[in-house]
Amino acid sequence: MTITNQYLTHNRPYTKRSRTDAIAMHWVANPGTSAAANRNYFQNTSTEVSANYIIGLVGEVICCIPDNEVSWCTNQANGYTVSIECCHPDWTGRFNDATYKSMVELIASLCKKYGLHPLKGGVIRHFDVTGKNCPKWFVPKSKGGSDTEDTQHWHKFLADVAAQMGQGTAATKPSGSAATTKLRYDWKQGQRVQLYKEKTQLFANESATTPAGYLPKGTYYIYDGKCCRNGRYRVTTKAEYCGKMPAGKYVTGYVSVDNFREV
Ligand SMILES: [Zn+2]
């Protein structure tokens, strides 16, 4: 990832932020346009709009406003966020591989710089601030976006950023296994998985930070195939429990995908 500094002289308040609580993600909502084209739009428009970074369709990154300064992108959150605009090929808002790769790398490096954790609120969507359909690929369909109802695109992105930082669950690799084991986020209901660690952290819900207990090594089953927040899946001990209601009675708990091995 190469970052080119092409600082704006217009739509730039030249205000240093006193705090940085999150990185805010956006889509440009203008399919097929480049990072340079969007940067030039900010420089020339009479609308008060700008961003700290724009990531283009070939993975190019333009810094429009230094990341310690305020940009006009995320409404009431401008004073405490670094804003990132991302280009996309079409109206689905899906990011291509080159853009996505730079997104993961840039956000991971900014999280490190500002001491933010992507899985603990350190990376947010414009949608989280105002409810706007932005970035569309990370907003659920019921809100006008292109993500699943449980926002699998968004959670995968956050997990990928965490993994890139070496903080994510992907950083923990089992002894003796290949370092290249790729995390999967496409587990299906009823699928058998092996928990390979002697003790696997078990969470009571998708966002708890302290484990409710530990599961012993062994074979478990994916309860419903929904990838929850923080890359967690609900697991259960018997195949016939999968999908069975009430969930509270049949789910053993939430486990992060980095603990799974295929059986
Ligand atoms: Zn936005």
Side-chain angles (χ1 to χ4, degrees), residues 18 27 31 58 72 92 96 144 187 192 203 221 225-226 246 249:
S18 55
W27 71 321
V58 292
W72 289 329
T92 64
N96 71 27
W187 301 96
R192 281 204 305 168
F203 295 95
Y221 300 85
K226 265 188 202 156
K249 193 171 167 192

Side-chain angles (χ1 to χ4, degrees), residues 74-217:
T74 321
N75 307 78
Q76 61 267 43
N78 284 335
Y80 59 87
T81 56
V82 179
S83 56
I84 316 290
E85 288 278 1
C86 306
C87 297
H88 46 93
D90 57 45
W91 280 113
T92 64
R94 185 184 62 80
F95 303 110
N96 71 27
D97 292 347
T99 306
Y100 190 86
K101 185 167 179 287
S102 290
M103 286 163 65
V104 170
E105 287 180 22
L106 177 65
I107 308 320
S109 77
L110 289 170
C111 282
K112 280 192 172 170
K113 178 173 177 179
Y114 290 102
L116 303 171
H117 197 304
L119 300 177
K120 293 177 184 168
V123 182
I124 61 172
R125 301 163 292 183
H126 194 176
F127 172 76
D128 297 312
V129 178
T130 64
K132 187 178 176 180
N133 182 11
C134 175
K136 188 177 180 185
W137 191 244
F138 294 151
V139 171
K141 287 200 177 73
S142 61
K143 308 283 186 207
S146 296
D147 208 343
T148 58
E149 281 319 296
D150 53 350
T151 52
Q152 296 196 15
H153 303 162
W154 175 235
H155 290 126
K156 179 181 186 313
F157 174 69
L158 296 177
D160 287 344
V161 172
Q164 174 79 21
M165 294 170 74
Q167 280 185 0
T169 47
T172 322
K173 69 172 198 276
S175 57
S177 94
T180 50
T181 303
K182 207 164 180 287
L183 286 185
R184 287 182 43 193
Y185 297 88
D186 58 350
W187 301 96
K188 300 282 182 283
Q189 177 174 328
Q191 196 164 1
R192 281 204 305 168
V193 290
Q194 179 80 19
L195 294 186
Y196 68 86
K197 293 176 188 161
E198 290 304 326
K199 281 167 71 184
T200 293
Q201 288 189 328
L202 179 72
F203 295 95
N205 54 54
E206 57 188 331
S207 49
T209 51
T210 314
Y214 295 89
L215 287 176
K217 189 172 177 171

